[in-house]
Structure formats: structure tokens, C-alpha cells
Amino acid sequence: MMPDSARRNARSLFGGAGLAISATSEQTHAAAEFLAHVGSAECQRGEYVRAGGQPGNRAAWTDPDVDAAAGGFFSATQRTVERAFMRPRDAGYPVAHRRVAEAVHPMVRRGATAREIVRRCNEICAATYAELVPATR
């Protein structure tokens, strides 16, 4: 389902920073242990969120104590996160995203319509992908 505000099923875009182990790491075992710890439900519900992190583990999002400590943030936003689109992972997306963001801000400030903004965003994305990923024949 694609976002369509006229049908009231608009959804957000989800994606952010991730953790990984460098292919050139000399400490892959230690790094893997650390990642397993940081991503665990125990850490995400405890030290991670207490340190100000926004957990990705569902156990933290559904923990009533974590939610209460965050002023109800997790219960208030959980439906949005569950319905969100995963952001594209291709190399062109960050470039297109930056270009769209730079174009949208002035358009919103001058009162452009949603239709104008969407049309411009589509133009920018098409041009960016055409530039970065030329069609092969």
C-alpha cells in the first residue's frame, strides 16, 4: 500500500542507523558479542533506553516500564512504526532524500500545495536515479 492521504492511509518512512561489523575488523568475535548484547531485549529495555537510546527491539517498545519512563512515547507511536514503510536501501536513496529535503522546505514555507510538493519530489527522485543508476540496454 502506497501513501495516499486522500484515502487516509498515509504512512511514515522507517529506517535509521544500524550496527554492523566491519569486514576489516580484527575483533569480529568481540564485535559480534557486543552487537548481540546491545540488540538483546534485556539491554534494550534497560541500559540502552536509560542511556537515552531509542530501542529497536519490540520487547522494549512494549515494556510498560520503558513506556512510562518515556512519557508514553512508545505506546503513542507504536502503531505508526508498525505501519511504516522501510526506507530504500539502495545507494541512490540517501542522495535523493537529501535533494528532496532541500527542495521541500522552501516549498512548504511559501505555501505550496501537497500536489506541487509531491510532483516536485517525484521529479527530483526520477532525475536522481536517472543520474546515479543509468538505464542499461
Side-chain angles (χ1 to χ4, degrees):
M1 173 187 339
M2 293 302 294
D4 179 355
S5 61
R7 292 197 313 239
R8 301 288 183 229
N9 63 355
R11 294 162 54 185
S12 63
L13 190 62
F14 183 82
L19 298 174
I21 301 171
S22 170
T24 61
S25 173
E26 294 180 12
Q27 300 291 326
T28 57
H29 182 72
E33 286 181 348
F34 174 75
L35 294 183
H37 169 70
V38 169
S40 72
E42 179 184 356
C43 178
Q44 294 266 306
R45 284 194 311 253
E47 63 191 276
Y48 192 86
V49 77
R50 282 193 306 272
Q54 183 177 338
N57 190 304
R58 183 174 176 79
W61 277 74
T62 58
D63 184 300
D65 293 331
V66 171
D67 190 47
F73 170 80
F74 296 107
S75 59
T77 58
Q78 185 172 347
R79 184 167 188 270
T80 300
V81 170
E82 289 173 346
R83 291 180 36 82
F85 290 100
M86 178 61 76
R87 79 172 163 79
R89 297 175 139 189
D90 60 78
Y93 176 75
V95 177
H97 184 95
R98 187 189 77 249
R99 290 175 179 176
V100 164
E102 290 168 352
V104 166
H105 184 254
M107 292 181 79
V108 170
R109 288 186 57 101
R110 75 169 168 77
T113 67
R115 185 177 303 274
E116 290 175 284
I117 293 170
V118 169
R119 183 175 56 245
R120 183 66 187 130
C121 290
N122 287 337
E123 291 169 356
I124 291 168
C125 287
T128 300
Y129 278 94
E131 170 191 332
L132 298 175
V133 187
T136 58
R137 293 181 193 239

